[in-house]
Amino acid sequence: TEYQTILTDQKNRVGIITLNRPEALNALNLQVMREVIEAAQAFDRDPEIGCIVITGSAKAFAAGADIKEMQPNTYMDVYLQDWFSAWDRLAEVRTPTVAAVSGYALGGGCELAMICDVLLAGDNAKFGQPEIKLGVIPGIGGSQRLTRAVGKAKAMELCLTGRMMDAEEAERAGLVSRIVPAADLLDEAMSVADTIAGMSLPIAMMAKEAVNRAFETTLAEGVRFERRVFHAIFATADQKEGMAAFVEKRKPSFQHR
Ligand code: HXC
């Protein structure tokens, strides 16, 4: 497929999506949204892909939804087109996703990073939900995912003041899993993605689904869900292989079945 606003690549079992609209700091217009989703869905359909990395440029992961594109729209425009609902398709991707954030991840950029499963930050990363400064609020899940990630006090402050938080603060708050030197960010993200892609894909999908269930349900229901998935895994070839390999003191060779 020919994309205009993103680059895609594949290294071993890792699919890479690089936002590539440098003239607008990777602002997420409708075309970027469509292309990111289409590329992610294509990787998701490909059984040779075990992890997807989403990244931007050194200066900006993404500086938000495209303000110039949003500006002229009316309520009826955005309602009838159900703006930003398509991003739910990215959240539905079953293959694990890793966001590698260098520079600005603001507004929709922060929200895109939070849709991903693992969030790695370069030490130059800046996160924020500055929508309020434009007279709007987060529209791609920011008020919900940020609050679940960092708690009410910090989410409320960030959404009400629009201030940015640096990588250190984001890590302390639990928004990112790790900070790495900006120069090593992509290598480190690829290494994490390679590790994930080396696991059994269906088991990784089940682990992702189980962790995500924690955000959707009560503790008791979530634990019951996990237990049923755990039981079901004993019907997979990869569980047999993983445990046999441990007992035989060798590396497992997963068939992704
Ligand atoms: C459209 C954008 C943009 C955006 C930057 N650009 N962010 N265009 N939408 N979100 C464009 C600028 O207009 C400029 O284009 C070029 O990118 C470079 O940006 P500069 O501002 O010149 O760069 P700099 O001075 O380094 O400042 C970087 C920045 C600033 C601090 C990130 O660009 C900024 O504040 N951007 C907006 C951040 C923001 O408010 N994001 C939230 C968007 S709302 P030209 O043509 O002038 O060179 C959102 C809501 C989601 O995401 C859903 C709810 C509605």
Side-chain angles (χ1 to χ4, degrees), residues 199-221:
M199 306 301 174
S200 161
L201 176 58
I203 306 299
M205 286 173 167
M206 291 181 216
K208 167 173 175 167
E209 191 181 1
V211 173
N212 278 333
R213 189 58 67 102
F215 294 95
E216 303 282 357
T217 193
T218 62
L219 178 63
E221 275 306 322

Side-chain angles (χ1 to χ4, degrees), residues 40-51:
Q41 289 179 327
F43 284 139
D44 199 31
R45 284 190 297 270
D46 183 346
E48 300 302 312
I49 296 292
C51 192

Side-chain angles (χ1 to χ4, degrees), residues 198-201 237-239 241-243 252-257:
M199 306 301 174
S200 161
L201 176 58
D238 286 341
Q239 174 269 329
E241 169 61 12
M243 292 194 178
S253 169
F254 292 123
Q255 302 166 50
H256 311 293
R257 311 285 301 177

Side-chain angles (χ1 to χ4, degrees), residues 165-203:
M165 121 174 120
D166 65 16
E168 292 285 340
E169 184 179 357
E171 187 190 35
R172 266 199 318 276
L175 180 64
V176 310
S177 72
R178 241 157 6 97
I179 304 175
V180 299
D184 306 336
L185 176 67
L186 206 56
D187 282 349
E188 194 55 38
M190 288 305 294
S191 158
V192 170
D194 259 330
T195 300
I196 295 170
M199 306 301 174
S200 161
L201 176 58
I203 306 299

Side-chain angles (χ1 to χ4, degrees), residues 140-175:
I140 315 176
S143 65
Q144 306 305 300
R145 290 195 178 90
L146 185 65
T147 306
R148 282 166 163 79
V150 307
K152 173 181 158 177
K154 202 174 274 285
M156 198 65 99
E157 189 209 342
L158 289 166
C159 289
L160 290 176
T161 67
R163 85 166 168 87
M164 291 183 213
M165 121 174 120
D166 65 16
E168 292 285 340
E169 184 179 357
E171 187 190 35
R172 266 199 318 276
L175 180 64

Side-chain angles (χ1 to χ4, degrees), residues 21-25 27 59 63-68 70 84 104 106-109 111 130-131 134 136-140 164:
R21 249 195 110 201
E23 72 283 3
L25 300 182
K59 178 169 180 187
D66 191 307
I67 299 165
K68 293 165 192 167
M70 287 188 283
F84 305 136
Y104 297 111
L106 300 177
E111 294 170 302
E131 288 89 347
L134 302 164
V136 293
I137 71 169
I140 315 176
M164 291 183 213

